[in-house]
Amino acid sequence: MRIKQIWSREILDSRGLPTVSTTLQLDDGSTATGKVPSGASTGKTEVLELRDNDLKRYRGQGVLDAVSNVNDLLAPKLVNKEFLSQESFDQYLIDLDGTEFKTNFGGNTILSLSIAFAKASALSKGVPLYEYFGKLYWREGFKKELLELPEPLILVIEGGSHGNWVTDIQEYMIVPRKVKFPTFADALRAGSEIYHTIHDVLKEKGYTANTGFEGAFAPNQLKSNEEAFEIIIEGIEKAGYKVDKEIYLAVDIAAAEFFDTSTKKYILKSEKKTFTEQEWIDYLDKLFSKYPVHIVEDPMDQENWEGWSKITKRLGQSKEIVGDDLLTTNVKRIQKAKEINAVNSVLIKPNQIGTITETMRAMRVSEEFGYSCILSHRSGETNDSTISDLVVGSYAQKCKFGAPNRGERIEKYNRLMEIEKRF
Ligand code: PGA
Ligand code: ZN
């Protein structure tokens, strides 16, 4: 596939902050656009998100340098060049950049190209994007039966840096069990019904039902991290579903956001409580035996590897202990986690690592280690729904795409329902 044209521009994400959008055309006319998401509670070892730091524009958040890197530096090298595979395209960019964290061109710059190339290639081959990804992931082992709709982690309450710090725990999610909701559309329907019932519960309590970055409720009146669980349980029951049997819970604690690196303590600001590492693990263990939480993301700080090993030893038999900020979709960090049994599950975010090929590699290593993978959006999103196709066409069997609210989240859920109808 020879590349005919590439052009990139600055657009806004769901938070109104600039991000990169790149369009790529192959010489058979297949044309597609890749739009890049952006995080708020980012891991320290993510690839560079290149921003202009020009305080006269978008408070320093502009991405004109990234756009210019595509239009002026990379496009002249890529146009008229032939690439036989996604791997060779991505590897060419990785080599051109030449740095571990993509600090030359920016991970956002490179990912916009990688996504655009994947979509244009799928069009050129006349296959749906999820099938294109499936063939990339499973290679010669690909068969259509491997393509599967995910079990969704549906966000209903958010705090931390996503939701005015109404709770210290960043994300509270409900998960309709796949065995009870065999179609994705049914799982999403249950999630949406519960989401709206939680709205009723909040109103009855006289709480505000304002929402955070990812469309979930962020009521200012919440008194504790635990009260959010109470409200969710009430919502599930009032909506007519069985707690745990049909709907279980997941959390993203994003503990790095409230870990004090100097005192090595976990500090719940909303409750004015401080915990040593051991007290924190005891607290979480107790909390998760009281409520049916079976997936726990980022319970410990991103550099507290020992703490991770301890919590995985303690809770890992019965729960998925998921590394996000800890692992940043990075093969080396996933391997390090394996050496010390720090996790048993990996959050996958393409923009943490910067190309589709490296995202696939992170999933392959996770699969080899027997870890589950959860494909995730970012708090700043666009209407690009590539990750919906990616979760279907890869090893990841769960997805974390936010609340059933806000266009950029809904686009991804709708794409999954559309894919399900095509099967
Ligand atoms: P982020 O949050 O996109 O702001 O990093 C998502 C997450 O922590 O999982
Ligand atoms: Zn996270």
Side-chain angles (χ1 to χ4, degrees):
M1 287 164 284
R2 194 176 293 279
I3 293 172
K4 192 168 168 195
Q5 269 194 84
I6 292 173
W7 61 103
S8 187
R9 68 203 77 83
E10 184 182 64
I11 59 164
L12 295 186
D13 71 15
S14 54
R15 303 166 304 185
L17 295 176
T19 190
V20 188
S21 171
T22 295
T23 303
L24 182 149
Q25 185 171 51
L26 298 171
D27 64 0
D28 65 1
S30 305
T31 309
T33 299
K35 298 176 190 169
V36 174
S38 167
S41 59
T42 48
K44 282 190 206 143
T45 51
E46 296 190 18
V47 292
L48 173 73
E49 184 177 75
L50 183 62
R51 296 209 177 260
D52 301 339
N53 298 319
D54 169 4
L55 293 176
K56 293 197 265 333
R57 298 185 72 253
Y58 289 112
R59 300 147 56 103
Q61 301 283 299
V63 292
L64 293 182
D65 287 348
V67 166
S68 153
N69 281 349
V70 176
N71 290 338
D72 306 324
L73 294 179
L74 296 170
K77 291 196 160 54
L78 295 165
V79 169
N80 287 325
K81 204 169 159 58
E82 179 148 19
F83 292 96
L84 297 178
S85 67
Q86 183 78 36
E87 280 100 340
S88 61
F89 180 80
D90 289 343
Q91 197 56 51
Y92 185 73
L93 293 173
I94 294 165
D95 293 342
L96 271 185
D97 181 89
T99 67
E100 190 173 0
F101 295 102
K102 302 193 172 59
T103 45
N104 254 330
F105 298 124
N108 44 351
T109 310
I110 292 174
L111 184 64
S112 72
L113 282 160
S114 182
I115 294 174
F117 182 83
K119 286 176 159 180
S121 301
L123 281 176
S124 168
K125 289 172 191 289
V127 297
L129 187 57
Y130 55 84
E131 194 173 314
Y132 174 81
F133 285 140
K135 287 176 175 155
L136 269 183
Y137 188 79
W138 286 289
R139 299 181 175 139
E140 20 341 294
F142 172 79
K143 38 184 195 267
K144 289 224 163 128
E145 301 80 76
L146 288 165
L147 300 169
E148 251 192 80
L149 272 293
E151 190 174 69
L153 279 58
I154 300 170
L155 189 68
V156 287
I157 290 184
E158 59 185 320
S161 60
H162 291 178
N164 273 326
W165 216 277
V166 296
T167 52
D168 305 275
I169 293 179
Q170 181 177 278
E171 298 167 20
Y172 294 79
M173 293 162 281
I174 53 173
V175 192
R177 284 186 189 277
K178 203 164 184 182
V179 282
K180 298 286 176 183
F181 300 90
T183 74
F184 181 79
D186 276 338
L188 187 60
R189 178 176 53 76
S192 166
E193 288 167 6
I194 295 165
Y195 176 83
H196 288 103
T197 312
I198 289 173
H199 186 231
D200 296 345
V201 173
L202 292 172
K203 278 211 312 217
E204 279 160 25
K205 287 185 181 293
Y207 287 12
T208 47
N210 50 320
T211 57
F213 284 161
E214 299 175 350
F217 302 115
N220 292 320
Q221 299 83 353
L222 280 177
K223 289 177 214 58
S224 65
N225 288 284
E226 218 178 308
E227 193 189 2
F229 287 119
E230 294 292 337
I231 288 169
I232 293 166
I233 298 290
E234 194 177 333
I236 296 172
E237 283 168 350
K238 282 201 169 142
Y241 292 100
K242 295 190 186 72
V243 175
D244 205 10
K245 218 165 171 205
E246 291 177 315
I247 311 281
Y248 68 96
L249 306 182
V251 287
D252 179 3
I253 298 181
E257 299 283 304
F258 55 84
F259 179 71
D260 185 330
T261 42
S262 53
T263 60
K264 308 268 178 247
K265 297 225 165 112
Y266 291 87
I267 302 173
L268 296 183
K269 293 179 223 167
S270 76
E271 298 180 28
K272 300 195 174 52
K273 285 185 190 151
T274 299
F275 301 82
T276 62
E277 181 188 288
Q278 195 51 50
E279 288 165 351
W280 177 240
I281 293 174
D282 293 342
Y283 167 81
L284 290 179
D285 190 1
K286 226 163 127 194
L287 196 61
F288 303 149
S289 10
K290 191 158 171 200
Y291 302 99
V293 177
H294 302 312
I295 300 179
V296 183
E297 181 184 333
D298 282 351
M300 310 304 286
D301 178 63
Q302 56 196 313
E303 294 301 344
N304 182 6
W305 289 91
E306 264 177 47
W308 276 88
S309 297
K310 277 189 203 157
I311 199 160
T312 297
K313 193 164 178 208
R314 176 96 160 254
L315 302 178
Q317 289 302 322
S318 58
K319 301 188 193 316
E320 284 174 68
I321 309 295
V322 192
D324 170 19
D325 293 341
L326 178 77
L327 304 176
T328 56
T329 317
N330 181 315
V331 166
K332 280 193 199 154
R333 291 182 73 90
I334 300 169
Q335 283 164 337
K336 176 164 178 191
K338 171 72 181 165
E339 280 165 26
I340 58 164
N341 291 323
V343 301
N344 59 19
S345 179
V346 180
L347 202 79
I348 299 287
K349 290 170 167 169
N351 85 320
Q352 284 181 326
I353 195 67
T355 61
I356 294 292
T357 298
E358 289 160 292
T359 305
M360 295 275 182
R361 273 186 213 144
M363 287 194 271
R364 263 192 217 106
V365 170
S366 307
E367 181 176 10
E368 189 192 309
F369 293 162
Y371 294 166
S372 59
C373 284
I374 303 173
L375 203 79
S376 172
H377 66 161
R378 299 307 304 249
S379 50
E381 268 294 338
T382 71
N383 282 11
D384 192 305
S385 60
T386 303
I387 53 174
S388 303
D389 288 73
L390 190 55
V391 74
V392 172
S394 72
Y395 166 70
Q397 284 171 9
K398 295 190 173 74
C399 70
K400 183 176 106 151
F401 292 173
N405 183 7
R406 291 182 66 131
E408 74 283 0
R409 318 290 149 184
I410 294 301
E411 187 66 19
K412 294 162 183 64
Y413 286 130
N414 283 347
R415 173 65 182 154
L416 284 169
M417 289 201 289
E418 191 184 309
I419 294 173
E420 182 163 62
K421 285 280 175 217
R422 285 230 224 159
F423 275 9

